[in-house]
Amino acid sequence: MDGARVGYNEGSKDMNTMVYRTPIAWMFALSAMGCKKVDEAPKEYESALAYMFEHFDDEDPERLVETVEFLDEWLVGADLEAAEEGLSIQNLPQSAVGGLAGHAHKTDGLEGVSLATSSRYPTCMLMEALTQYSFARMMPDVYITYDREFDSGQDCIATRDCLWAEGSVYSVADWGVLGEVTADRRIEYRWIETAEGWAFLQRWWLTEESTGTRLGLSIGDQYYIGINFPDGDGTRRIHGSWLTMEMVTGDASTGASKQLIKNWKKDAEDLDAWISANL
């Protein structure tokens, strides 16, 4: 739901969580997935996502609001259709990650992708689901452990009594044949008011290398930006992520980034289904 997972889980038959029964088969599958073309995003789109990530915590939200409104106007017709299929986006500049908490963050070798999805629920309900409930509850087939601790804002962000929340997450996810993958992340949420109503932004990043228990899997860096703004009675959602991933076979970043697109599509459906059943 937040772009944290790129693996395949056991017990499902769809492409988002498909099980390959041997490590060699999985490696071939990842290589084949990397050959599937993802259209490049127009410069103005990828620049907007990079700007939102880098300037997420700007004290004055004016430029953030302008960028959200630009994206809202841009996502129509053929551009919207392309974004709903998934787009590749270029690397973040080093200036976007230099001040982030955690290890020495890098942008060399990142693979980036973006996807536009939609929800039939308003932004306030999405914010409640994403900040007040554990992903281990919402995605029990993925997360073995999801320990989230807010430093500030948890009690007021969903109701907009405050406009900022931040904290940290330690998670252990089941990636099927890739084993269990641990991750430590910083998470941030922010409300901003646009001409169409209140939008919220999400940002997270790994604070140290994420590792798996099989096939030498390691994710050196991953950065995520989520942009959620009113769309009729529901919400338009834009996801963007940049990452580097290595396995015993070498660089697996391209295949991993493309798997994110598949996961985001399924996660968007799963989130709406969970809200329908629980909120």
Side-chain angles (χ1 to χ4, degrees), residues 144 172-176 178-182 211-214:
I144 300 168
V172 181
D174 179 1
W175 283 20
L178 295 183
E180 297 179 2
V181 178
T182 62
T211 58
T213 56
R214 299 179 189 168

Side-chain angles (χ1 to χ4, degrees), residues 31 59 68 88 163 167 261:
S31 297
E59 183 174 352
V68 171
S88 65
L163 303 182
I261 293 173

Side-chain angles (χ1 to χ4, degrees), residues 41-53 67 70 89-90:
K43 294 298 182 184
E44 62 267 30
Y45 179 86
E46 62 185 8
S47 295
L49 266 59
Y51 181 88
M52 296 297 281
F53 186 92
T67 305
F70 159 76
I89 53 179
Q90 289 190 358

Side-chain angles (χ1 to χ4, degrees), residues 223-237:
Y223 312 99
Y224 173 83
I225 183 69
I227 304 163
N228 307 267
F229 53 86
D231 184 22
D233 294 332
T235 300
R236 169 64 62 194
R237 308 189 68 201

